[in-house]
Amino acid sequence: MSKIIDFYKKLTDGKKSALIGGILILIFGIIFSIYRHSRIEKLESNFIWTEGTITEIKLNVSKGTTQMEDIFLFEFKHNGKKIIKSRTTYKPELLKVGQKFKIKVHPEDSDLLEIELNGT
């Protein structure tokens, strides 16, 4: 342990900041990965199938200050309520307004879903 402390003390301030920043990024990455994995497991263990419908396709929507993306909006029924969501698409030419597709959704959480669009 003392070797680690000695190593850290020998670093310049900039390198100390970079090391701490790298460690924090690694920690947040691990936490995000664990969270994502638990959501996937939750969906795989308990889901229902429903049908979604594409309601709108938006091309070149601003994302932040410099990026653009193509998105589509879709709706589906979940526990008797109409839910509207959006997703990014890399092949908007394959989508059509009114197109139907299957959605795997958690019965208690409409944010926990996986869509099955063929060819997108």
Side-chain angles (χ1 to χ4, degrees):
M1 184 69 161
S2 66
K3 288 184 181 185
I4 294 172
I5 293 171
D6 290 339
F7 171 77
Y8 182 77
K9 285 181 181 179
K10 290 179 185 177
L11 295 175
T12 63
D13 287 344
K15 290 183 179 180
K16 286 178 184 176
S17 296
L19 178 63
I20 291 170
I23 290 170
L24 288 174
I25 289 171
L26 181 64
I27 289 170
F28 286 126
I30 290 169
I31 290 170
F32 177 76
S33 178
I34 291 169
Y35 173 74
R36 185 174 180 275
H37 184 72
S38 71
R39 287 183 54 88
I40 290 170
E41 282 184 350
K42 184 178 176 183
L43 180 61
E44 290 301 319
S45 67
N46 188 12
F47 65 88
I48 55 174
W49 287 101
T50 187
E51 184 177 73
T53 305
I54 295 176
T55 57
E56 190 174 349
I57 300 169
K58 295 182 178 184
L59 303 177
N60 297 321
V61 175
S62 177
K63 178 184 178 188
T65 57
T66 60
Q67 294 179 322
M68 303 294 270
E69 65 183 3
D70 300 323
I71 64 168
F72 65 96
L73 283 83
F74 62 97
E75 63 182 35
F76 63 97
K77 293 275 188 186
H78 185 266
N79 294 333
K81 294 180 185 176
K82 181 170 84 170
I83 307 293
I84 299 172
K85 298 280 183 188
S86 67
R87 289 290 187 268
T88 301
T89 180
Y90 299 103
K91 296 181 182 178
E93 65 277 1
L94 298 177
L95 303 176
K96 295 182 181 119
V97 173
Q99 181 178 340
K100 308 265 188 214
F101 56 92
K102 290 201 265 182
I103 301 174
K104 183 192 298 188
V105 62
H106 193 274
E108 298 161 6
D109 185 356
S110 64
D111 288 329
L112 190 53
L113 59 90
E114 183 180 301
I115 63 174
E116 287 195 9
L117 281 171
N118 296 326
T120 61

